[in-house]
Amino acid sequence: MASGMSAATTMMFALVPSGGHIVTTTDCYRRTRQFIQTILPKMGITATVIDPADITSLEKALHDNEVSLFFSESPTNPYLRCIDIEKVAKLCHKKGALVCIDGTFATPINQTSLTFGADIALNSVTKYFSGHNDVLAGSLSGSKEIIDAVKKVHNILGGVLDPNSAYLIIRGMKTLHLRVKQQNETALKLARALELHPKVHRLHYPGLESHPDHHIAKKQMHGFGGVVSFEVAGDLEATSRFIDSLKIPYIAPSLGGCESLVEQPTIISYWDQSAAERAMLGIKDNLVRFSCGIEAYEDIFSDIQQALKAV
């Protein structure tokens, strides 16, 4: 489809009936949350939002509502929380609910959601699949029955991928496994190093034992992805100085390309929300999301070290 959001919204329109109910998670891509919480209610579709690891709340939501769909990312954006896909799928299927996992941060190289019981795997092809920061696209994978149902709505809504983007995606996928392997290695080394850095307050990466969902990531992921989120030991201005002092990464809200990208979510992705609204979503002023490219780890870490001196 023409974008990851096109894939997500078309899928929900196709699979969730009027009066249906969606269970989703607190930590997720902002625009997906907005669609679920502000657009779908106009069509009589309600939602329950739970913590990614809160199985008890999921069971309650399934008991109290006619749930049509469980939708979450794994790992999530930006705190890289992980869903126990197998456990969630078993619970949802008992109640007749479908499970869709957005695996954009993982890619199918690191995580094959369908083999753990998910009904639909969604990817923002804009990111790792194309891998060169020059395409907008999205994809859905699942059974023929499910995909045929989505296709019918897709044909009505549009969101068609253009031929040149399709060509660029084919090009990018030829090196997907090579790029992801290096980005996995770089991100894990970077996370381990930054976790010990005195100017980093907290590190979020599922490959670290300190991450709350590390045990889940170990069970269902082959690698832990190329994105590292961390909280700088400073305020909004100090974090901005750090971002501006970096020399290698581009400042941009995307991820998964050959070039490293960095963003301060408060300023870029959540710039139009108040401090109180950001606090409700857990978005901190000192949060940084770093997407590792394919540059040498030594160069990336050296750049981050020098930039942290500005904090």
Side-chain angles (χ1 to χ4, degrees):
M1 300 185 189
S3 69
M5 278 305 300
S6 176
T9 56
T10 304
M11 179 272 298
M12 291 185 205
F13 277 138
L15 301 179
V16 183
S18 177
H21 193 86
I22 293 176
V23 178
T24 189
T25 53
T26 49
D27 193 34
C28 70
Y29 179 52
R30 178 190 175 192
R31 300 304 180 187
T32 310
R33 182 193 295 113
Q34 282 184 314
F35 179 74
I36 291 172
Q37 294 185 316
T38 66
I39 304 299
L40 290 182
K42 297 177 183 178
M43 295 156 197
I45 296 171
T46 54
T48 297
V49 183
I50 64 172
D51 182 88
D54 192 348
I55 295 297
T56 301
S57 291
L58 172 60
E59 290 174 325
K60 185 176 188 304
L62 289 167
H63 180 270
D64 294 346
N65 305 277
E66 291 290 330
V67 177
S68 306
L69 177 73
F70 174 90
F71 179 88
S72 182
E73 301 154 16
S74 190
T76 60
N77 180 21
Y79 287 110
L80 306 167
R81 299 295 303 278
C82 295
I83 302 295
D84 190 328
I85 301 171
E86 188 173 21
K87 183 179 289 186
V88 166
K90 287 179 179 177
L91 289 171
C92 289
H93 291 162
K94 285 180 182 177
K95 294 291 186 175
L98 295 173
V99 174
C100 179
I101 299 295
D102 180 342
T104 297
F105 275 49
T107 81
I109 304 298
N110 288 329
Q111 178 179 277
T112 51
S113 301
L114 299 182
T115 64
F116 288 97
D119 301 286
I120 310 118
L122 184 149
N123 270 276
S124 174
V125 178
T126 304
K127 313 303 194 297
Y128 290 98
F129 270 70
S130 60
H132 292 74
N133 293 321
D134 57 5
V135 170
L136 279 175
S139 73
L140 292 169
S141 303
S143 69
K144 185 178 187 301
E145 180 184 6
I146 287 174
I147 298 303
D148 282 349
V150 176
K151 277 184 177 179
K152 290 178 182 177
V153 178
H154 183 222
N155 290 339
I156 296 169
L157 297 180
V160 179
L161 186 68
D162 70 276
N164 188 61
S165 291
Y167 161 74
L168 291 174
I169 293 164
I170 292 170
R171 168 214 59 182
M173 287 178 66
K174 291 177 181 178
T175 59
L176 176 62
H177 66 294
L178 298 173
R179 290 183 283 104
V180 169
K181 180 181 178 182
Q182 178 159 340
Q183 288 160 322
N184 285 343
E185 293 173 356
T186 297
L188 181 57
K189 289 170 71 174
L190 184 63
R192 285 173 172 163
L194 289 180
E195 189 175 36
L196 302 176
H197 198 287
K199 291 192 176 180
V200 172
H201 174 65
R202 189 176 179 188
L203 208 293
H204 305 274
Y205 187 70
L208 296 181
E209 290 77 6
S210 58
H211 191 277
D213 305 320
H214 177 65
H215 63 293
I216 297 174
K218 277 184 66 179
K219 180 177 72 171
Q220 66 190 26
M221 297 183 75
H222 306 295
F224 302 109
V227 176
V228 178
S229 294
F230 54 95
E231 297 164 36
V232 170
D235 57 11
L236 185 143
E237 288 74 20
T239 306
S240 295
R241 288 197 302 273
F242 162 71
I243 296 281
D244 291 338
S245 298
L246 290 165
K247 302 182 186 304
I248 289 178
Y250 290 89
I251 300 174
S254 193
L255 58 112
C258 291
E259 302 89 356
S260 289
L261 301 178
V262 66
E263 76 151 328
Q264 186 175 359
T266 293
I267 290 176
I268 294 184
S269 298
Y270 293 83
W271 63 271
D272 59 339
Q273 295 202 306
S274 68
E277 289 172 322
R278 291 194 301 270
M280 284 181 62
L281 299 172
I283 303 300
K284 301 178 181 180
D285 288 347
N286 63 341
L287 180 65
V288 173
R289 196 189 72 184
F290 195 100
S291 170
C292 298
I294 61 171
E295 305 93 347
Y297 163 74
E298 291 76 15
D299 291 339
I300 292 174
F301 182 53
S302 177
D303 188 30
I304 291 176
Q305 279 188 306
Q306 67 81 23
L308 282 170
K309 294 177 181 177
V311 176

